[in-house]
Amino acid sequence: MFRIDTANKKLIKLEDTTFADINIKERYDIQEWIASNPEVLGQVIYNNEDSLLIIAKEHAFDGKVAGRGIRSDLIAMDKDGKVVIIELKRDNSGCDVDWQAIKYAARISKYSTERIAELLLDYEKINSIDDAKQKIIEHVSGISSGNNNFDEVFQKIGDGLCVRIILVAKDFNPDVCAAVLWMRETSNYAIDISCVKLKPFKDGDSLFLDSELIIPLPETRSYTDHRNKNYTKTDKLTYDYNSQSRYSDDLPVPPLSKEQLEIKLRETFSINSDQIPRLKAFLRILCDRSEPITQDEMKRELAEMLNISEGRAGTYLSNISTFITSKKSGFLRQMIEYGIVGGGEPSPGAKKTDYKIRTDENKDYRTIIKNVLDETKCTTHQ
């Protein structure tokens, strides 16, 4: 890694170091960093910094006090509805980090969805179990109709929860890499396991951290994701990812009529959720613009309309984008088009940009949305 010296037109190489050399601890430092900033993993794995919601830390599966017995480092939920086991090692992964994580994944896959909500309740000291459920729903679905749909946000396989594993270390033992690659390949990618390198650097007294996805290689992600979607359930380890997913970029076939679209919009706007005014603000901004609006422009306009910070507006936009790509929101995709940041393939975690109301010679989508917004008294509170 290099620091750019613009004044002298030079690149200054940063000094490689180890966590041990700079007195950084696994549990008291690295674990806390990721718990506070899960985007350090979310950005490299999902291409979306808001992808992970931490729901537990130092969780003891055998019921003993944290730090003893079978204990996971961090547990999260991703926007695909998978429970995520995050296993950390400081400098070298050792030779059995994969086996540790598999044990934890096996344990948590048998948890009830209610138990998952309890983990978040305990971790964030949330007021009630219903509030914990709602937070998970909003993280996974973006916008939801309430706690009665809580069980549906989870991906499941057989009688257990779908679990993803993320292994984190500065360097990985070759045997661990070989085992991870073998598990991904021989399970037809049903065992969802990734390896992320966290590498520290020094520049004088300043410290820097870089995260890098090494398994699967970023260059092969689109290929393996495509393979995932085309596997069918042939044994206990494989299943049809496409049918299990709650996300889609497909449009309704046949297209919905003007009346059907109006009904869908009214039903959505009637949902009792803090997210609905944010969706309405998003749609109002689109209706007022004839040209595509970029991700950054949308953040600024949402921030101004809702009287919030741009950072918070970015979180709202991420949730709105996730909702638009949910299978149940095909009616919105019929009226709204968007691009992917960097020109990548569409996916639930991909960052979206260039939002625009679609044009159709038979339907005026802009007028349809405006009319329903007006009749439902578009509110824009936080």
Side-chain angles (χ1 to χ4, degrees), residues 2-12:
F2 293 83
R3 176 172 59 84
I4 300 174
D5 183 347
T6 55
N8 297 305
K9 300 188 184 303
K10 292 182 178 180
L11 294 177
I12 311 299

Side-chain angles (χ1 to χ4, degrees), residues 111-328:
Y111 275 26
S112 67
T113 56
E114 188 83 10
R115 183 72 181 101
I116 297 298
E118 290 172 356
L119 294 182
L120 180 61
L121 178 72
D122 294 340
Y123 175 64
E124 290 201 357
K125 309 300 184 209
I126 294 175
N127 292 331
S128 70
I129 192 70
D130 286 342
D131 288 342
K133 288 180 179 180
Q134 188 63 27
K135 183 160 187 174
I136 290 174
I137 289 171
E138 292 183 359
H139 174 74
V140 176
S141 301
I143 299 172
S144 117
S145 58
N147 291 335
N148 57 325
N149 289 329
F150 176 68
D151 195 59
E152 297 177 7
V153 306
F154 291 85
Q155 276 200 36
K156 298 176 184 178
I157 179 170
D159 61 352
L161 299 177
C162 235
V163 183
R164 179 172 205 156
I165 297 171
I166 301 176
L167 307 179
V168 182
K170 178 183 178 292
D171 293 301
F172 282 88
N173 186 295
D175 288 341
V176 170
C177 293
V180 168
L181 290 168
W182 179 81
M183 281 187 286
R184 291 176 60 86
E185 289 280 353
T186 57
S187 69
N188 289 340
Y189 303 94
I191 297 179
D192 194 345
I193 182 168
S194 304
C195 294
V196 175
K197 278 189 174 184
L198 285 188
K199 297 178 291 185
F201 294 90
K202 290 176 62 176
D203 182 22
D205 293 331
S206 298
L207 300 177
F208 300 86
L209 186 70
D210 182 46
S211 57
E212 178 188 6
L213 178 66
I214 63 167
I215 299 176
L217 290 173
E219 293 81 1
T220 66
R221 285 292 300 277
S222 60
Y223 166 71
T224 54
D225 288 346
H226 175 75
R227 287 193 62 177
N228 286 353
K229 294 180 179 180
N230 287 281
Y231 278 109
T232 56
K233 188 172 182 180
T234 55
D235 55 48
K236 292 182 179 179
L237 286 177
T238 63
Y239 64 102
D240 185 347
Y241 276 74
N242 198 41
S243 65
Q244 295 285 333
S245 176
R246 295 176 311 285
Y247 301 99
S248 173
D249 279 285
D250 296 338
L251 303 182
V253 179
L256 300 180
S257 67
K258 172 180 177 293
E259 292 73 20
Q260 289 172 319
L261 290 170
E262 289 173 342
I263 290 171
K264 286 287 189 182
L265 282 170
R266 291 188 190 103
E267 289 176 347
T268 300
F269 293 165
S270 69
I271 293 172
N272 183 21
S273 169
D274 290 340
Q275 302 284 0
I276 295 304
R278 303 163 192 172
L279 174 63
K280 288 183 173 182
F282 169 84
L283 293 174
R284 180 67 72 182
I285 291 167
L286 286 184
C287 287
D288 292 342
R289 292 279 294 265
S290 58
E291 297 299 319
I293 181 168
T294 68
Q295 180 190 54
D296 288 339
E297 289 172 332
M298 181 59 79
K299 287 180 186 178
R300 287 194 291 271
E301 298 227 14
L302 281 174
E304 183 177 350
M305 182 173 285
L306 299 173
N307 193 28
I308 56 175
S309 68
E310 284 193 28
R312 193 172 182 186
T315 299
Y316 289 177
L317 181 57
S318 176
N319 287 337
I320 291 168
S321 296
T322 299
F323 180 65
I324 291 173
T325 55
S326 66
K327 282 188 174 180
K328 64 184 177 182

Side-chain angles (χ1 to χ4, degrees), residues 42-52 78-80 139-140 164 221 225 229 245 247-249 295 318 321-323 325-326 338 340-341 345-352 355:
Q43 186 63 54
V44 295
I45 293 179
Y46 301 89
N47 195 30
N48 184 344
E49 61 186 23
D50 298 317
S51 293
L52 293 172
D78 70 13
K79 286 186 177 291
D80 293 332
H139 174 74
V140 176
R164 179 172 205 156
R221 285 292 300 277
D225 288 346
K229 294 180 179 180
S245 176
Y247 301 99
S248 173
D249 279 285
Q295 180 190 54
S318 176
S321 296
T322 299
F323 180 65
T325 55
S326 66
Y338 49 83
I340 303 300
V341 174
E345 292 295 322
S347 69
K351 289 187 176 181
K352 300 170 183 63
Y355 299 94

Side-chain angles (χ1 to χ4, degrees), residues 18-36:
T18 67
F19 290 115
D21 286 345
I22 56 178
N23 198 31
I24 296 297
K25 307 299 182 184
E26 175 189 312
R27 181 177 175 187
Y28 296 105
D29 295 308
I30 301 173
Q31 181 173 284
E32 294 302 317
W33 296 345
I34 296 175
S36 301

Side-chain angles (χ1 to χ4, degrees), residues 24-89:
I24 296 297
K25 307 299 182 184
E26 175 189 312
R27 181 177 175 187
Y28 296 105
D29 295 308
I30 301 173
Q31 181 173 284
E32 294 302 317
W33 296 345
I34 296 175
S36 301
N37 302 93
E39 59 266 30
V40 73
L41 302 180
Q43 186 63 54
V44 295
I45 293 179
Y46 301 89
N47 195 30
N48 184 344
E49 61 186 23
D50 298 317
S51 293
L52 293 172
L53 171 67
I54 303 297
I55 62 172
K57 179 172 65 177
E58 298 283 329
H59 177 60
F61 287 99
D62 54 7
K64 296 180 181 178
V65 297
R68 300 175 181 269
I70 300 177
R71 174 193 58 80
S72 66
D73 293 323
L74 295 168
I75 303 173
M77 283 290 300
D78 70 13
K79 286 186 177 291
D80 293 332
K82 293 183 179 180
V83 181
V84 183
I85 294 291
I86 302 172
E87 186 61 19
L88 312 173
K89 296 299 176 186

